[in-house]
Amino acid sequence: MCGIVGYIGKQKASPILINGLMRLEYRGYDSAGISTIEADGLSIMKDKGRVKNLYNLEGINDLKGTIGIAHTRWATHGKPSKENAHPHQDNSKSFSVVHNGIIENYNELKKFLIDNGYKFYSETDTEIVPNLIHYYYTNNNNESGKMKFLTAVKKACSDLKGSFALEIICKDFPDNMVVVRKDSPLVIGKGIDENYISSDIPAILSFTRNFYLLNDFEYVFLSRDSAEFYDKDLNKIDKETKSIEWDATSSEKNGYDDFMLKEIHEQPTAIRETIGAKFNENSKCEFDGLDFSKDYLSSLNRIYIVACGTAMHAGLVGKNVIEKLCRIPTEVDIASEFRYRDPLIDDKTLCIFISQSGETADTIAALKLSKEKGAKTLAISNVIGSSITREADYSIYTHAGPEIAVASTKAYTSQVVLLVILAIYFAEILESDSENLVKLKKEILELPKQVEQCLQLKDKIKEFAKRIYQEKDVFFIGRGVDEAIAKEGCLKLKEISYIHSESYAAGELKHGAIALIEKGVTVVGVITEPTLVEKTISNIQEVITRGAKTLIVTNQKVDKSMFDTVLEIPETNPFISPVIATVPLQLLAYYISKEKGLDVDKPRNLAKSVTVE
Ligand code: M6R
């Protein structure tokens, strides 16, 4: 979590830094700050609260420096406060540092520094970093110039356990900056006589399309017109830029009130782009870079799909399709649990990791473990060059465009579409059920149009949202793949409306949770599984009997008079119905949040990219 931005060029740095931070606020937004190199040394300006508060700080407009670093925080160590906000400096104010990640051994290093006379003024793990760099810098009489700066950073980083993306400026180097990363994202955008640094690409996309992607423990010595790269032992290395196709306007609101609403409406395009040229009705599925054989797929003992949050919910849909089309046992795991449960992995296991950002620490850790145990690993991400795609043996991409709102919408539906196409690709290699596959492909091509139709339900959904926005508890139920849809609708609601919600397999409710159903409680039922319609309706009947208010999302024939509100969505193959059935649930969460007057795009306590374990 946390977002970092840096600028080194000829323009005044502070507006560029603050502008970049605003675009990164989805990564954390409890405090923010910048440090620039001014004529009289390093300046620091920071405060508790949103990035925009920086504009109110006295003297911020007087900053003239053309080099600077900046940070928006999501608190891990120490409460949100001015003292804990970044940047942090060493005691002699020679170095300013911003950090994204967690230093796990900071207590031990803090003790070492205190024993060496250093004092600490914040509760953060980060404050040890500038002091440690200062310690190695002042104790190095063998080197001078940039190697002295780089060696101090390298020695400090070698002591750190955990994850970090760091930007460091030093008063002795008024024309330079050093950056490095380990397990936390950091990219460098190359301009003309200027360089931009950021936690992600969209934040600086309006300045450049050419990016350097850093690997762990690569050190960069930046000047206005150059970027010198060094490996972990400070040997110089070459690095090429990568050109990014997203355009800057795709990370703007484009007239929508919020990014979430914009992203919900972008789903038809995101799905179309994700389908891309992977197949047409008469051709087999193809994925650039995948070369799985029939022998390999037939030899698999199992597939694991590992992810977090919404991406994990997409995985649940993927499991359903892979098992049914390919008959390969498939398990879905929450990434933060996966590596601690000693999973059964060997070279006959395929592990699929889903992450919109490609930077989720739990997912990356699970991927590394799977590789160590000999599995082949396949990453699904929305971000080319993101950490999981660089770690995995194979990578395939959703093409949803930048997703800014914390609540994931277009990334989810694109992930589901991609997983279904992947399942078809496997099934075709395994030579199973070709007639049904052709039909399924036709149905996938209909999805963008069907999502458009679901978006037309928004007035009805808004009306229902107005009725229930003050409620305390909402339940989501469904059977089969409808349970996976219910889970996603439930997460969306609690995440942005702060209403307590639970999702259940509809048939499981009567084994306990039905005790919570009383007059007026809202139950959202999802009915898309044709073979389970009657069973699900019986379960919904059980809650109606106990006074529940019901909202039904369905593409099946049901007696509408039974329910309070019915949202009718287009009929499609049950494998892909989660794509369309989730859209009304996204809109429901959105409109409830709006009715409550909440910040839809930046819900409390959350961040878009969870780069801590
Ligand atoms: O970037 P990732 O897809 O790895 O993120 C995983 C989850 O943190 C994410 O899906 C989260 O659950 C969303 N905020 C849900 O809307």
Side-chain angles (χ1 to χ4, degrees):
M1 332 280 246
C2 303
I4 64 184
V5 182
Y7 175 73
I8 177 162
K10 289 185 176 145
Q11 305 179 58
K12 196 168 145 159
S14 51
I16 296 172
L17 296 173
I18 297 174
N19 185 287
L21 285 186
M22 289 197 156
R23 290 165 191 269
L24 285 179
E25 261 198 322
Y26 71 84
R27 302 179 63 85
Y29 32 82
D30 59 46
S31 53
I34 66 172
S35 178
T36 53
I37 306 182
E38 300 295 315
D40 55 353
L42 302 181
S43 86
I44 288 232
M45 302 239 173
K46 56 186 186 177
D47 208 353
K48 189 179 162 183
R50 290 282 165 94
V51 171
K52 64 176 189 282
N53 295 358
L54 292 175
Y55 284 122
N56 302 330
L57 296 180
E58 208 185 315
I60 197 108
N61 294 323
D62 302 331
L63 295 175
K64 295 196 172 51
T66 58
I67 298 178
I69 59 178
H71 188 273
T72 179
R73 180 168 184 251
W74 185 83
T76 56
H77 295 67
K79 60 187 175 300
S81 69
K82 181 173 176 179
E83 294 68 37
N84 291 332
H86 298 217
H88 288 282
Q89 288 193 313
D90 65 298
N91 290 174
S92 73
K93 304 199 182 312
S94 302
F95 294 92
S96 290
V97 169
V98 293
H99 165 223
N100 170 27
I102 287 186
I103 311 299
E104 289 165 4
N105 57 339
Y106 81 103
N107 270 327
E108 180 191 314
L109 294 168
K110 193 168 180 175
K111 186 172 175 313
F112 166 79
L113 289 163
I114 289 171
D115 291 347
N116 281 278
Y118 288 84
K119 289 196 168 30
F120 288 86
Y121 302 96
S122 78
E123 301 160 294
T124 64
D125 51 343
T126 302
E127 201 184 356
I128 58 131
V129 179
N131 286 303
L132 204 54
I133 293 172
H134 176 266
Y135 171 83
Y136 284 121
Y137 188 75
T138 47
N139 285 301
N140 179 354
N141 297 320
N142 301 325
E143 287 174 304
S144 59
K146 75 177 169 201
M147 289 322 288
K148 183 167 173 170
F149 188 1
L150 279 165
T151 300
V153 175
K154 185 214 136 178
K155 284 192 169 168
C157 289
S158 312
D159 288 347
L160 305 180
K161 290 199 182 124
S163 57
F164 49 84
L166 297 168
E167 291 175 335
I168 306 131
I169 48 177
C170 172
K171 76 170 174 19
D172 294 348
F173 291 83
D175 297 318
N176 304 104
M177 182 188 300
V178 171
V179 304
V180 56
R181 60 157 280 185
K182 191 225 155 205
D183 293 340
S184 285
L186 195 71
V187 296
I188 297 171
K190 183 178 183 297
I192 298 166
D193 289 338
E194 55 189 359
N195 285 301
Y196 298 85
I197 303 93
S198 174
S199 299
D200 78 10
I201 289 170
I204 50 175
L205 207 51
S206 53
F207 303 116
T208 179
R209 295 274 186 90
N210 298 316
F211 288 85
Y212 295 108
L213 305 175
L214 291 189
N215 292 319
D216 283 356
F217 287 111
E218 284 179 348
Y219 296 86
V220 194
F221 189 81
L222 290 161
S223 309
R224 290 180 174 85
D225 54 1
S226 70
E228 292 173 17
F229 296 89
Y230 296 84
D231 70 8
K232 63 178 182 7
D233 301 316
L234 295 187
N235 299 309
K236 222 162 165 195
I237 50 173
D238 290 330
K239 203 169 258 294
E240 296 289 316
T241 54
K242 199 168 177 63
S243 172
I244 300 296
E245 283 165 18
W246 293 347
D247 65 22
T249 51
S250 52
S251 9
E252 308 288 346
K253 282 190 198 156
N254 282 350
Y256 285 94
D257 285 351
D258 315 270
F259 280 111
M260 183 177 176
L261 191 61
K262 174 184 169 238
E263 289 158 8
I264 289 174
H265 282 85
E266 282 173 345
Q267 292 181 106
T269 310
I271 293 166
R272 218 172 270 122
E273 296 285 317
T274 298
I275 299 169
K278 293 187 185 68
F279 63 86
N280 63 42
E281 284 170 31
N282 306 313
S283 73
K284 290 202 163 170
C285 286
E286 274 177 32
F287 279 93
D288 276 351
L290 296 194
D291 56 3
F292 293 115
S293 64
K294 187 173 181 185
D295 281 351
Y296 170 72
L297 290 175
S298 314
S299 75
L300 289 176
N301 51 23
R302 66 171 64 70
I303 293 176
Y304 284 114
I305 302 180
V306 186
C308 305
T310 285
M312 189 274 290
H313 294 160
L316 293 172
V317 181
K319 166 191 162 79
N320 181 49
V321 190
I322 294 172
E323 285 195 336
K324 289 196 175 129
L325 287 185
C326 312
R327 310 310 291 167
I328 304 174
T330 304
E331 288 180 43
V332 179
D333 267 72
I334 295 171
S336 56
E337 292 290 318
F338 186 62
R339 67 188 173 130
Y340 301 108
R341 72 169 185 85
D342 196 10
L344 298 167
I345 302 176
D346 58 28
D347 61 351
K348 300 214 167 0
T349 313
L350 172 65
C351 296
I352 301 177
F353 300 87
I354 313 172
S355 173
Q356 181 279 131
S357 61
E359 303 296 346
T360 301
D362 290 319
T363 310
I364 296 169
L367 192 162
K368 286 181 177 166
L369 173 93
S370 311
K371 265 172 95 173
E372 273 163 34
K373 291 194 170 232
K376 272 205 185 357
T377 55
L378 166 61
I380 295 183
S381 180
N382 195 39
V383 182
I384 293 171
S386 58
S387 299
I388 66 160
T389 65
R390 281 185 284 150
E391 282 287 341
D393 299 313
Y394 302 95
S395 297
I396 56 175
Y397 295 92
T398 50
H399 292 278
E403 192 180 66
I404 310 292
V406 165
S408 187
T409 53
K410 61 176 180 171
Y412 167 82
T413 42
S414 303
Q415 284 159 354
V416 171
V417 169
L418 196 65
L419 281 161
V420 176
I421 300 174
L422 183 70
I424 299 175
Y425 166 78
F426 288 165
E428 284 174 343
I429 295 172
L430 291 165
E431 294 170 23
S432 57
D433 205 5
S434 54
E435 207 173 295
N436 277 332
L437 297 182
V438 171
K439 187 164 170 283
L440 177 57
K441 283 195 234 172
K442 278 191 190 149
E443 289 165 317
I444 291 174
L445 293 169
E446 292 298 307
L447 278 173
K449 204 175 71 206
Q450 294 180 324
V451 170
E452 298 277 5
Q453 287 169 260
C454 292
L455 292 170
Q456 306 306 318
L457 293 167
K458 64 175 170 248
D459 289 338
K460 203 167 178 184
I461 297 170
K462 209 170 178 174
E463 213 175 282
F464 192 78
K466 282 195 171 117
R467 281 174 61 199
I468 68 158
Y469 76 97
Q470 283 171 320
E471 294 198 359
K472 296 268 175 294
D473 309 285
V474 173
F475 290 81
F476 290 76
I477 59 173
R479 281 174 173 253
V481 80
D482 292 336
E483 189 204 349
I485 301 169
K487 279 186 189 302
E488 177 53 12
C490 174
L491 175 63
K492 225 73 314 167
L493 182 69
K494 64 174 74 137
E495 184 175 23
I496 61 166
S497 77
Y498 315 152
I499 294 178
H500 166 248
S501 56
E502 301 264 359
S503 60
Y504 273 92
E508 181 65 11
L509 208 61
K510 59 184 175 293
H511 295 286
I514 202 163
L516 297 169
I517 305 294
E518 55 186 3
K519 192 167 173 11
V521 166
T522 298
V523 176
V524 179
V526 184
I527 314 175
T528 72
E529 280 269 9
T531 54
L532 294 167
V533 178
E534 274 143 33
K535 297 267 176 223
T536 310
I537 290 185
S538 304
N539 299 134
I540 297 173
Q541 184 64 63
E542 288 157 12
V543 299
I544 293 174
T545 308
R546 285 156 183 86
K549 184 153 68 264
T550 50
L551 172 73
I552 304 301
V553 177
T554 188
N555 53 11
Q556 302 297 308
K557 285 195 177 40
V558 297
D559 172 6
K560 287 193 262 175
S561 67
M562 280 177 69
F563 313 109
D564 286 273
T565 301
V566 177
L567 301 173
E568 286 177 286
I569 57 170
E571 212 180 322
T572 187
N573 192 308
F575 287 145
I576 50 176
S577 56
V579 175
I580 48 177
T582 306
V583 175
L585 301 182
Q586 296 168 343
L587 287 167
L588 179 68
Y590 173 81
Y591 285 118
I592 290 178
S593 178
K594 289 300 271 187
E595 280 300 323
K596 293 182 84 169
L598 300 173
D599 187 340
V600 178
D601 288 338
K602 299 189 189 80
R604 70 184 178 203
N605 305 337
L606 287 167
K608 180 72 182 164
S609 189
V610 187
T611 52
V612 293
E613 280 181 52

Short mmCIF file of all heavy atoms in Angstrom, two decimals, residues 393-430:
data_model
loop_
_atom_site.label_atom_id
_atom_site.label_comp_id
_atom_site.label_asym_id
_atom_site.label_seq_id
_atom_site.Cartn_x
_atom_site.Cartn_y
_atom_site.Cartn_z
N ASP A 393 5.86 -18.29 -14.65
CA ASP A 393 6.38 -18.93 -15.87
C ASP A 393 5.62 -18.43 -17.10
O ASP A 393 6.19 -18.27 -18.17
CB ASP A 393 6.21 -20.45 -15.78
CG ASP A 393 6.99 -21.03 -14.62
OD1 ASP A 393 8.17 -20.66 -14.47
OD2 ASP A 393 6.41 -21.81 -13.83
N TYR A 394 4.31 -18.24 -16.93
CA TYR A 394 3.47 -17.77 -18.04
C TYR A 394 2.60 -16.62 -17.55
O TYR A 394 2.18 -16.62 -16.39
CB TYR A 394 2.51 -18.88 -18.52
CG TYR A 394 3.18 -20.13 -18.98
CD1 TYR A 394 3.35 -21.20 -18.11
CD2 TYR A 394 3.63 -20.26 -20.29
CE1 TYR A 394 3.96 -22.37 -18.53
CE2 TYR A 394 4.24 -21.44 -20.72
CZ TYR A 394 4.41 -22.48 -19.83
OH TYR A 394 5.00 -23.62 -20.24
N SER A 395 2.30 -15.69 -18.45
CA SER A 395 1.40 -14.60 -18.07
C SER A 395 0.39 -14.36 -19.18
O SER A 395 0.75 -14.37 -20.36
CB SER A 395 2.16 -13.29 -17.89
OG SER A 395 3.06 -13.43 -16.83
N ILE A 396 -0.86 -14.16 -18.78
CA ILE A 396 -1.88 -13.72 -19.74
C ILE A 396 -2.58 -12.51 -19.12
O ILE A 396 -2.56 -12.33 -17.90
CB ILE A 396 -2.88 -14.83 -20.12
CG1 ILE A 396 -3.56 -15.42 -18.88
CG2 ILE A 396 -2.18 -15.91 -20.91
CD1 ILE A 396 -4.65 -16.43 -19.22
N TYR A 397 -3.19 -11.69 -19.97
CA TYR A 397 -3.67 -10.39 -19.50
C TYR A 397 -5.15 -10.15 -19.78
O TYR A 397 -5.64 -10.49 -20.85
CB TYR A 397 -2.87 -9.27 -20.18
CG TYR A 397 -1.41 -9.30 -19.77
CD1 TYR A 397 -0.47 -10.01 -20.52
CD2 TYR A 397 -1.00 -8.65 -18.61
CE1 TYR A 397 0.86 -10.06 -20.11
CE2 TYR A 397 0.32 -8.68 -18.21
CZ TYR A 397 1.25 -9.39 -18.96
OH TYR A 397 2.55 -9.44 -18.56
N THR A 398 -5.79 -9.54 -18.77
CA THR A 398 -7.08 -8.91 -19.04
C THR A 398 -6.73 -7.55 -19.65
O THR A 398 -5.66 -7.00 -19.38
CB THR A 398 -7.86 -8.69 -17.72
OG1 THR A 398 -7.00 -8.05 -16.78
CG2 THR A 398 -8.35 -9.99 -17.14
N HIS A 399 -7.63 -7.03 -20.45
CA HIS A 399 -7.37 -5.72 -21.07
C HIS A 399 -8.46 -4.75 -20.65
O HIS A 399 -9.19 -4.21 -21.47
CB HIS A 399 -7.28 -5.87 -22.59
CG HIS A 399 -6.08 -6.66 -23.01
ND1 HIS A 399 -4.84 -6.10 -23.11
CD2 HIS A 399 -5.93 -7.98 -23.26
CE1 HIS A 399 -3.95 -7.04 -23.45
NE2 HIS A 399 -4.60 -8.19 -23.54
N ALA A 400 -8.55 -4.56 -19.32
CA ALA A 400 -9.62 -3.72 -18.77
C ALA A 400 -9.23 -2.25 -18.76
O ALA A 400 -10.07 -1.40 -18.49
CB ALA A 400 -9.97 -4.19 -17.36
N GLY A 401 -7.97 -1.93 -19.01
CA GLY A 401 -7.53 -0.54 -18.86
C GLY A 401 -7.33 -0.26 -17.38
O GLY A 401 -7.70 -1.09 -16.53
N PRO A 402 -6.78 0.90 -17.04
CA PRO A 402 -6.50 1.16 -15.62
C PRO A 402 -7.77 1.15 -14.78
O PRO A 402 -8.76 1.77 -15.15
CB PRO A 402 -5.86 2.55 -15.62
CG PRO A 402 -5.95 3.07 -16.99
CD PRO A 402 -6.37 2.00 -17.92
N GLU A 403 -7.72 0.45 -13.67
CA GLU A 403 -8.84 0.46 -12.72
C GLU A 403 -8.40 1.27 -11.51
O GLU A 403 -7.44 0.90 -10.83
CB GLU A 403 -9.23 -0.97 -12.32
CG GLU A 403 -10.55 -1.02 -11.59
CD GLU A 403 -10.94 -2.44 -11.20
OE1 GLU A 403 -10.24 -3.03 -10.34
OE2 GLU A 403 -11.93 -2.95 -11.72
N ILE A 404 -9.11 2.37 -11.25
CA ILE A 404 -8.68 3.30 -10.21
C ILE A 404 -9.50 3.13 -8.93
O ILE A 404 -8.95 3.17 -7.83
CB ILE A 404 -8.84 4.78 -10.71
CG1 ILE A 404 -8.18 4.97 -12.09
CG2 ILE A 404 -8.31 5.77 -9.69
CD1 ILE A 404 -6.69 4.87 -12.13
N ALA A 405 -10.81 2.96 -9.06
CA ALA A 405 -11.65 2.82 -7.85
C ALA A 405 -11.17 1.61 -7.05
O ALA A 405 -10.79 0.58 -7.62
CB ALA A 405 -13.11 2.62 -8.26
N VAL A 406 -11.20 1.75 -5.73
CA VAL A 406 -10.75 0.64 -4.88
C VAL A 406 -11.61 -0.60 -5.14
O VAL A 406 -11.10 -1.72 -5.22
CB VAL A 406 -10.79 1.06 -3.39
CG1 VAL A 406 -10.69 -0.15 -2.48
CG2 VAL A 406 -9.65 2.04 -3.10
N ALA A 407 -12.92 -0.41 -5.29
CA ALA A 407 -13.78 -1.55 -5.55
C ALA A 407 -13.57 -2.03 -6.99
O ALA A 407 -13.74 -1.28 -7.94
CB ALA A 407 -15.24 -1.15 -5.35
N SER A 408 -13.21 -3.27 -7.11
CA SER A 408 -12.89 -3.82 -8.42
C SER A 408 -14.17 -4.21 -9.16
O SER A 408 -15.01 -4.92 -8.62
CB SER A 408 -12.00 -5.05 -8.21
OG SER A 408 -11.53 -5.52 -9.42
N THR A 409 -14.32 -3.73 -10.38
CA THR A 409 -15.53 -4.05 -11.16
C THR A 409 -15.15 -4.61 -12.53
O THR A 409 -15.27 -5.79 -12.79
CB THR A 409 -16.42 -2.80 -11.31
OG1 THR A 409 -15.63 -1.73 -11.85
CG2 THR A 409 -17.02 -2.40 -10.00
N LYS A 410 -14.60 -3.72 -13.38
CA LYS A 410 -14.29 -4.18 -14.74
C LYS A 410 -13.15 -5.20 -14.73
O LYS A 410 -13.07 -6.05 -15.62
CB LYS A 410 -13.99 -3.01 -15.66
CG LYS A 410 -12.80 -2.16 -15.27
CD LYS A 410 -12.53 -1.09 -16.31
CE LYS A 410 -11.33 -0.24 -15.93
NZ LYS A 410 -10.92 0.66 -16.99
N ALA A 411 -12.30 -5.12 -13.71
CA ALA A 411 -11.22 -6.12 -13.65
C ALA A 411 -11.82 -7.49 -13.39
O ALA A 411 -11.42 -8.50 -13.99
CB ALA A 411 -10.22 -5.75 -12.57
N TYR A 412 -12.84 -7.54 -12.49
CA TYR A 412 -13.47 -8.82 -12.14
C TYR A 412 -14.12 -9.46 -13.37
O TYR A 412 -13.87 -10.63 -13.69
CB TYR A 412 -14.51 -8.61 -11.04
CG TYR A 412 -15.43 -9.79 -10.84
CD1 TYR A 412 -15.03 -10.89 -10.07
CD2 TYR A 412 -16.69 -9.84 -11.44
CE1 TYR A 412 -15.87 -11.98 -9.90
CE2 TYR A 412 -17.54 -10.92 -11.27
CZ TYR A 412 -17.12 -12.00 -10.50
OH TYR A 412 -17.94 -13.09 -10.35
N THR A 413 -14.96 -8.70 -14.06
CA THR A 413 -15.68 -9.32 -15.19
C THR A 413 -14.68 -9.72 -16.28
O THR A 413 -14.85 -10.76 -16.92
CB THR A 413 -16.78 -8.37 -15.73
OG1 THR A 413 -16.27 -7.04 -15.79
CG2 THR A 413 -18.00 -8.40 -14.86
N SER A 414 -13.63 -8.93 -16.44
CA SER A 414 -12.61 -9.31 -17.45
C SER A 414 -11.86 -10.57 -17.01
O SER A 414 -11.53 -11.42 -17.84
CB SER A 414 -11.60 -8.17 -17.64
OG SER A 414 -12.25 -7.00 -18.01
N GLN A 415 -11.60 -10.69 -15.70
CA GLN A 415 -10.93 -11.90 -15.22
C GLN A 415 -11.78 -13.14 -15.46
O GLN A 415 -11.28 -14.20 -15.89
CB GLN A 415 -10.65 -11.78 -13.71
CG GLN A 415 -9.49 -10.86 -13.37
CD GLN A 415 -9.53 -10.34 -11.93
OE1 GLN A 415 -10.47 -10.58 -11.19
NE2 GLN A 415 -8.48 -9.64 -11.54
N VAL A 416 -13.09 -13.00 -15.20
CA VAL A 416 -13.98 -14.15 -15.41
C VAL A 416 -13.96 -14.55 -16.89
O VAL A 416 -13.81 -15.74 -17.23
CB VAL A 416 -15.42 -13.83 -14.94
CG1 VAL A 416 -16.38 -14.92 -15.37
CG2 VAL A 416 -15.46 -13.65 -13.42
N VAL A 417 -14.06 -13.55 -17.76
CA VAL A 417 -14.07 -13.85 -19.20
C VAL A 417 -12.76 -14.55 -19.58
O VAL A 417 -12.76 -15.57 -20.30
CB VAL A 417 -14.26 -12.54 -20.01
CG1 VAL A 417 -13.99 -12.77 -21.49
CG2 VAL A 417 -15.68 -12.01 -19.81
N LEU A 418 -11.65 -14.03 -19.08
CA LEU A 418 -10.36 -14.62 -19.45
C LEU A 418 -10.24 -16.06 -18.94
O LEU A 418 -9.73 -16.94 -19.63
CB LEU A 418 -9.22 -13.75 -18.90
CG LEU A 418 -7.86 -14.02 -19.52
CD1 LEU A 418 -7.86 -13.67 -21.00
CD2 LEU A 418 -6.76 -13.24 -18.83
N LEU A 419 -10.72 -16.28 -17.71
CA LEU A 419 -10.65 -17.64 -17.15
C LEU A 419 -11.49 -18.62 -17.97
O LEU A 419 -11.10 -19.77 -18.19
CB LEU A 419 -11.13 -17.63 -15.70
CG LEU A 419 -10.10 -17.13 -14.68
CD1 LEU A 419 -10.79 -16.71 -13.38
CD2 LEU A 419 -9.05 -18.20 -14.40
N VAL A 420 -12.66 -18.15 -18.43
CA VAL A 420 -13.51 -19.04 -19.23
C VAL A 420 -12.81 -19.36 -20.57
O VAL A 420 -12.78 -20.51 -21.01
CB VAL A 420 -14.92 -18.42 -19.46
CG1 VAL A 420 -15.75 -19.31 -20.37
CG2 VAL A 420 -15.64 -18.21 -18.13
N ILE A 421 -12.19 -18.33 -21.15
CA ILE A 421 -11.48 -18.58 -22.43
C ILE A 421 -10.30 -19.53 -22.18
O ILE A 421 -10.01 -20.42 -22.98
CB ILE A 421 -11.02 -17.26 -23.08
CG1 ILE A 421 -12.22 -16.35 -23.37
CG2 ILE A 421 -10.26 -17.52 -24.38
CD1 ILE A 421 -11.86 -14.96 -23.87
N LEU A 422 -9.64 -19.35 -21.04
CA LEU A 422 -8.52 -20.24 -20.71
C LEU A 422 -9.02 -21.69 -20.56
O LEU A 422 -8.38 -22.63 -21.06
CB LEU A 422 -7.86 -19.77 -19.40
CG LEU A 422 -6.63 -20.54 -18.95
CD1 LEU A 422 -5.44 -20.28 -19.89
CD2 LEU A 422 -6.23 -20.16 -17.51
N ALA A 423 -10.18 -21.83 -19.91
CA ALA A 423 -10.74 -23.18 -19.74
C ALA A 423 -11.07 -23.80 -21.11
O ALA A 423 -10.83 -24.99 -21.35
CB ALA A 423 -11.99 -23.11 -18.87
N ILE A 424 -11.58 -22.96 -22.02
CA ILE A 424 -11.90 -23.48 -23.37
C ILE A 424 -10.60 -23.88 -24.07
O ILE A 424 -10.52 -24.93 -24.72
CB ILE A 424 -12.65 -22.42 -24.21
CG1 ILE A 424 -13.97 -22.04 -23.54
CG2 ILE A 424 -12.89 -22.93 -25.63
CD1 ILE A 424 -14.71 -20.90 -24.23
N TYR A 425 -9.58 -23.04 -23.91
CA TYR A 425 -8.27 -23.33 -24.51
C TYR A 425 -7.74 -24.70 -24.02
O TYR A 425 -7.31 -25.53 -24.81
CB TYR A 425 -7.32 -22.19 -24.15
CG TYR A 425 -5.85 -22.42 -24.37
CD1 TYR A 425 -5.28 -22.33 -25.64
CD2 TYR A 425 -5.01 -22.72 -23.28
CE1 TYR A 425 -3.92 -22.54 -25.82
CE2 TYR A 425 -3.65 -22.91 -23.46
CZ TYR A 425 -3.10 -22.83 -24.73
OH TYR A 425 -1.77 -23.02 -24.91
N PHE A 426 -7.84 -24.92 -22.71
CA PHE A 426 -7.42 -26.22 -22.15
C PHE A 426 -8.28 -27.35 -22.74
O PHE A 426 -7.77 -28.40 -23.13
CB PHE A 426 -7.58 -26.24 -20.62
CG PHE A 426 -6.57 -25.41 -19.86
CD1 PHE A 426 -6.79 -25.09 -18.52
CD2 PHE A 426 -5.39 -24.96 -20.45
CE1 PHE A 426 -5.87 -24.33 -17.81
CE2 PHE A 426 -4.47 -24.20 -19.74
CZ PHE A 426 -4.72 -23.88 -18.42
N ALA A 427 -9.60 -27.11 -22.75
CA ALA A 427 -10.52 -28.16 -23.21
C ALA A 427 -10.25 -28.51 -24.67
O ALA A 427 -10.33 -29.68 -25.07
CB ALA A 427 -11.95 -27.69 -23.02
N GLU A 428 -9.91 -27.49 -25.46
CA GLU A 428 -9.63 -27.78 -26.88
C GLU A 428 -8.35 -28.61 -27.02
O GLU A 428 -8.28 -29.52 -27.84
CB GLU A 428 -9.51 -26.46 -27.66
CG GLU A 428 -10.89 -25.86 -27.92
CD GLU A 428 -10.86 -24.48 -28.58
OE1 GLU A 428 -9.80 -23.83 -28.56
OE2 GLU A 428 -11.90 -24.05 -29.07
N ILE A 429 -7.35 -28.29 -26.21
CA ILE A 429 -6.11 -29.09 -26.26
C ILE A 429 -6.43 -30.53 -25.82
O ILE A 429 -5.93 -31.50 -26.39
CB ILE A 429 -5.02 -28.46 -25.35
CG1 ILE A 429 -4.62 -27.10 -25.89
CG2 ILE A 429 -3.81 -29.39 -25.23
CD1 ILE A 429 -3.71 -26.30 -24.98
N LEU A 430 -7.30 -30.65 -24.84
CA LEU A 430 -7.64 -31.99 -24.32
C LEU A 430 -8.66 -32.70 -25.22
O LEU A 430 -9.07 -33.83 -24.94
CB LEU A 430 -8.20 -31.88 -22.90
CG LEU A 430 -7.19 -31.47 -21.83
CD1 LEU A 430 -7.89 -31.02 -20.55
CD2 LEU A 430 -6.22 -32.61 -21.52
#
